[in-house]
Amino acid sequence: EYTRMSGQNDTGALQTAQDNTEQQEQVQAAEKWHARMSSLLEGSLLYAEINLTADTVEQIRAKNLREIPLVATLRQTVALGAPGRLDAETRRLYRRFFDPARLLRAFEDGKTSDTLDYGMELPSGEKSWRRASIGMVRYPHSGDVMLAVVFSEASDQHKVLEQLTRCAFHDPLTGALNRAGVSDRAARVFDDAPDKLYAMFSLDLDDFKQINDRMGQPSGDLVLRQAGGVRRRTFRSDDIVGRFGGDEFVVLIAGRLSPEFLERKARELLRSMYLETQEGDKIPFSVSIGIAFGREDVSFDKLYRLADRALYAAKREGKNCFHLVNADTYQERAAVLDAGGEQLSVQDVLSDSPKTTVALPGSGSWRSFGMLLGNLPGGVAVLDADAAEIRILSGNSWLPHFTGAATVLADQ
């Protein structure tokens, strides 16, 4: 500032200096922010700059700007980014992502950018994926927080991701979930909801090896695909249908179900198993089904174990049938036999239960005892503990499946 002194010819000068580093840093940050967000404009569907503090739209750009209605607030801008129908969970995440209070808190905590991918159903019925990218900066002159939003198409990336996920979690032959896919889905099924019944179906094609040997592997593959399709048509879209390899399939369902409902589903499966040839002929084939259900203290592993045992019970009962087990009351098949005047009790316990001592019958009753062993699920062996070396006196037909050979058990 220059001032002529009163009554004098001299001119005095007053010089002042001010540190504006912070303001210049804000200016530079704003320039970088604007350049970075502008770089996302190419190929974007919609771009908007919003004064987040005042909740006013500063500018908006779009491919078809004439089709974009006038918007004045963040909420109105966000509505343009989701022209399709969002499911309930996606809608909740979308609203939270653009919540102004959350954005301001994130900015004060040092988080200035973020992205959100979300799927929606367009009016045409097509599934579309969008990506919302945001960046925030403090405007140097007013001190307000500015928000830039870029909406872009993300369907191509998600199609590739969906294909990779499908390969990782699905059986390529039947289209059913594989073991990893079933485990992933099942982890989200079990909760403590009241009146909820959980049920596991374990299914095995009867004499499938003979189908392969008699008709050839291509026909065997057709049978497997047909079986997988029947399971998907019989159950609801959110039920978990999987193939664990070979001719073994599982189905996990949950809801307000009843044992009678499970029986109806099992009968539907038994009636709908056939192979339709190219000539239109229908060649029937059969399955054996084991079902375990429960409401309390159930898990995927427990239901699968009991359903598998119920499956082998159905096999013993003649195949092409189902066997139902209540996991809440089932104690792993207790059997009582009157052997030559003395009472004999045998219990096959769960692997995580305490071991049970089994009383053996007296002489002359081995025939009856052998019949009892044959009806027990799982590998059962009777050992002679008084011998110099442990000997297997008797065992049921399942024993080799658990040991490879009956004599192996003696070494264990």
Side-chain angles (χ1 to χ4, degrees):
E1 295 183 2
Y2 298 91
T3 306
R4 184 171 296 280
M5 307 300 290
S6 176
Q8 301 180 16
N9 293 325
D10 297 335
T11 300
L14 177 65
Q15 179 180 352
T16 61
Q18 180 179 343
D19 185 356
N20 65 345
T21 303
E22 182 178 356
Q23 184 179 12
Q24 287 300 314
E25 289 178 344
Q26 292 179 357
V27 170
Q28 292 175 4
E31 291 174 350
K32 291 180 180 178
W33 163 80
H34 193 273
R36 181 171 64 84
M37 299 309 295
S38 297
S39 67
L40 301 176
L41 276 172
E42 185 177 356
S44 66
L45 301 172
L46 181 69
Y47 173 83
E49 291 183 10
I50 302 163
N51 185 324
L52 190 58
T53 304
D55 192 20
T56 57
V57 176
E58 300 288 334
Q59 67 166 306
I60 189 166
R61 305 180 196 176
K63 275 187 173 181
N64 302 311
L65 192 59
R66 294 179 180 178
E67 299 178 7
I68 299 297
L70 294 176
V71 293
T73 65
L74 172 62
R75 183 176 180 179
Q76 293 172 343
T77 305
V78 167
L80 297 178
R85 186 180 66 85
L86 306 178
D87 60 46
E89 179 63 15
T90 304
R91 189 183 307 112
R92 184 187 67 82
L93 293 173
Y94 189 73
R95 289 175 177 174
R96 183 181 180 278
F97 183 79
F98 285 109
D99 178 61
R102 187 196 72 84
L103 291 172
L104 288 171
R105 287 195 303 270
F107 179 78
E108 296 300 334
D109 291 339
K111 186 173 184 179
T112 60
S113 62
D114 203 356
T115 59
L116 173 69
D117 286 10
Y118 55 97
M120 58 186 169
E121 184 180 329
L122 298 178
S124 62
E126 182 184 359
K127 180 70 178 291
S128 177
W129 284 89
R130 296 282 174 88
R131 173 169 296 157
S133 304
I134 63 172
M136 293 180 286
V137 70
R138 191 175 297 280
Y139 213 60
H141 303 293
S142 65
D144 293 345
V145 176
M146 296 295 295
L147 169 71
V149 185
V150 180
F151 293 99
S152 55
E153 187 69 47
S155 293
D156 290 343
Q157 299 95 310
H158 277 272
K159 285 179 181 178
V160 173
L161 181 61
E162 287 174 351
Q163 290 174 354
L164 292 174
T165 302
R166 181 168 184 82
C167 291
F169 285 162
H170 287 78
D171 169 48
L173 178 62
T174 65
L177 293 169
N178 58 20
R179 188 180 293 269
V182 170
S183 298
D184 179 72
R185 289 274 305 276
R188 302 191 292 268
V189 168
F190 291 92
D191 56 37
D192 297 325
D195 301 328
K196 196 171 186 179
L197 185 76
Y198 302 91
M200 173 78 76
F201 289 68
S202 181
L203 307 99
D204 190 82
L205 301 183
D206 295 329
D207 305 316
F208 179 67
K209 185 177 183 303
Q210 296 182 17
I211 296 176
N212 268 336
D213 294 343
R214 188 174 67 252
M215 303 177 63
Q217 185 173 343
S219 296
D221 289 346
L222 285 175
V223 169
L224 291 173
R225 281 196 289 267
Q226 175 70 13
V230 166
R231 286 158 180 78
R232 288 194 297 274
R233 291 192 298 272
T234 302
F235 294 94
R236 302 166 301 184
S237 59
D238 56 345
D239 293 334
I240 300 174
V241 179
R243 179 191 177 203
F244 275 13
D247 57 342
E248 179 187 4
F249 291 82
V250 297
V251 181
L252 177 64
I253 63 177
R256 294 187 176 181
L257 313 174
S258 66
E260 292 75 21
F261 172 83
L262 303 178
E263 291 183 8
R264 288 199 304 271
K265 287 297 178 182
R267 291 191 176 93
E268 287 179 29
L269 287 171
L270 294 174
R271 289 194 299 266
S272 58
M273 292 297 172
Y274 58 85
L275 173 63
E276 187 167 356
T277 65
Q278 294 181 346
E279 294 75 18
D281 298 329
K282 294 182 178 180
I283 304 174
F285 60 91
S286 66
V287 296
S288 297
I289 306 172
I291 309 169
F293 66 93
R295 300 182 189 275
E296 302 174 0
D297 191 29
V298 292
S299 64
F300 176 86
D301 290 338
K302 182 177 181 179
L303 286 179
Y304 177 63
R305 184 167 59 239
L306 294 182
D308 188 61
R309 296 193 177 201
L311 168 64
Y312 280 97
K315 292 280 190 183
R316 289 196 307 274
E317 290 166 8
K319 303 179 182 179
N320 196 27
C321 63
F322 65 89
H323 193 85
L324 201 68
V325 170
N326 187 337
D328 294 333
T329 59
Y330 189 63
Q331 295 184 353
E332 296 299 294
R333 190 74 179 264
V336 178
L337 171 69
D338 183 3
E342 62 177 297
Q343 197 75 4
L344 169 69
S345 296
V346 178
Q347 184 180 22
D348 182 26
V349 297
L350 283 168
S351 59
D352 53 0
S353 301
K355 292 184 178 180
T356 301
T357 301
V358 179
L360 299 181
S363 60
S365 58
W366 280 107
R367 180 179 179 184
S368 298
F369 188 71
M371 294 174 61
L372 174 65
L373 286 179
N375 289 324
L376 286 175
V380 179
V382 179
L383 307 179
D384 182 0
D386 294 329
E389 294 181 357
I390 296 178
R391 296 183 300 122
I392 299 178
L393 299 180
S394 183
N396 66 359
S397 59
W398 285 21
L399 185 62
H401 295 288
F402 284 82
T403 62
T407 54
V408 176
L409 189 63
D411 296 328
Q412 299 177 349

